[in-house]
Amino acid sequence: IGLGYKGHVIKEYFLNYSSVNSDFQINLKSGELKLYQSHQDDWDVTLVDTGHSSMTGGRLLRLKEHLEEKPFIATYGDGLANVNIKELITFHKAHGKLATLTSVRPAARFGEVEISECEVKSFKEKPQTQTGWINGGYFVFQPEFFNLIDGDKTVLEAEPLEMAASSGQLMAFQHTGFWQCMDTLRDKNFLEKLYTSGKKPWFLTYDD
């Protein structure tokens, strides 16, 4: 995980992962901790300070030394989607290019009205847009992609991806399932409403 602003909060979460995700008893005098129904995941999580002011490309470059010399997956931390990662990787391996981005068509912010001669033919309340694919933020990169990143000030979505596209080395994995960014308070409220209602469309279940 590439950390920047308030990275210490994420570090503290993982340092206290077992207690945060478990019921426990603590002796306030001795500090002795007894966990009940301990929640443990067999994951190795690497937390890397990638700079307070680094741009997206710069953060990725600072992670290079922690990655093996083979294709790797990258994503942002401000959105939810049910992208099928296995299919994404299969697509990337099949085309043999330098980079793959996941393209999505987000839901329209307003209701969509189809009009003919002033007569409303159809109305859809905030449907998924039918045109205009955008960057959905799930990538697969070959290790050589790092050669397109200069340093901390490099914006991933500018020179690196633009150069990959202009040289025919960028492919799009088209995702038509759930995708939602969390850029604004409106987005946050929408996702929290889904979560509290029990609907979690960003969950994807498939066979191993």
Side-chain angles (χ1 to χ4, degrees):
I1 302 177
L3 303 175
Y5 175 67
K6 288 194 173 181
H8 67 283
V9 176
I10 299 176
K11 287 182 177 180
E12 289 170 358
Y13 172 79
F14 282 104
L15 283 172
N16 299 294
Y17 186 80
S18 293
S19 59
V20 168
N21 290 283
S22 305
D23 296 333
F24 63 86
Q25 178 188 81
I26 185 171
N27 184 292
L28 297 181
K29 182 177 181 180
S30 67
E32 182 181 354
L33 186 69
K34 181 179 180 181
L35 298 178
Y36 299 109
Q37 300 174 335
S38 178
H39 181 85
Q40 296 179 336
D41 291 307
D42 188 16
W43 289 15
D44 289 325
V45 181
T46 302
L47 306 172
V48 182
D49 184 357
T50 55
H52 187 276
S53 302
S54 296
M55 304 305 289
T56 47
R59 295 195 189 283
L60 194 62
L61 184 60
R62 288 205 188 195
L63 296 177
K64 181 180 179 180
E65 64 181 283
H66 300 279
L67 299 170
E68 298 179 18
E69 284 293 321
K70 60 183 182 181
F72 63 94
I73 304 170
T75 189
Y76 305 120
D78 59 354
L80 293 170
N82 62 348
V83 175
N84 190 313
I85 300 300
K86 289 184 177 181
E87 292 182 0
L88 171 61
I89 294 172
T90 298
F91 175 81
H92 178 80
K93 288 181 177 179
H95 64 62
K97 303 288 186 177
L98 192 63
T100 297
L101 67 77
T102 299
S103 60
V104 298
R105 290 187 298 197
R109 288 196 61 185
F110 306 100
E112 185 177 275
V113 181
E114 181 184 345
I115 301 173
S116 176
E117 296 182 355
C118 296
E119 179 183 346
V120 175
K121 295 297 184 180
S122 70
F123 176 81
K124 297 179 181 179
E125 175 60 15
K126 300 177 183 177
Q128 185 180 51
T129 56
Q130 297 303 305
T131 59
W133 293 90
I134 67 169
N135 172 18
Y138 290 81
F139 305 93
V140 186
F141 295 120
Q142 295 297 119
E144 293 80 12
F145 184 80
F146 283 119
N147 296 331
L148 302 180
I149 304 175
D150 288 332
D152 287 350
K153 299 302 181 183
T154 302
V155 178
L156 175 65
E157 302 76 19
E159 291 87 354
L161 289 179
E162 288 174 0
M163 286 189 289
S166 63
S167 61
Q169 289 295 314
L170 179 62
M171 300 292 285
F173 176 76
Q174 295 180 317
H175 173 64
T176 57
F178 179 83
W179 179 88
Q180 176 63 50
C181 61
M182 193 171 74
D183 296 334
T184 66
L185 180 60
R186 179 193 185 104
D187 298 330
K188 176 179 179 290
N189 291 340
F190 171 70
L191 288 170
E192 287 187 342
K193 184 178 180 180
L194 283 179
Y195 181 81
T196 55
S197 69
K199 298 177 181 177
K200 302 173 185 178
W202 50 86
F203 281 179
L204 176 68
T205 58
Y206 48 85
D207 295 332
D208 292 334

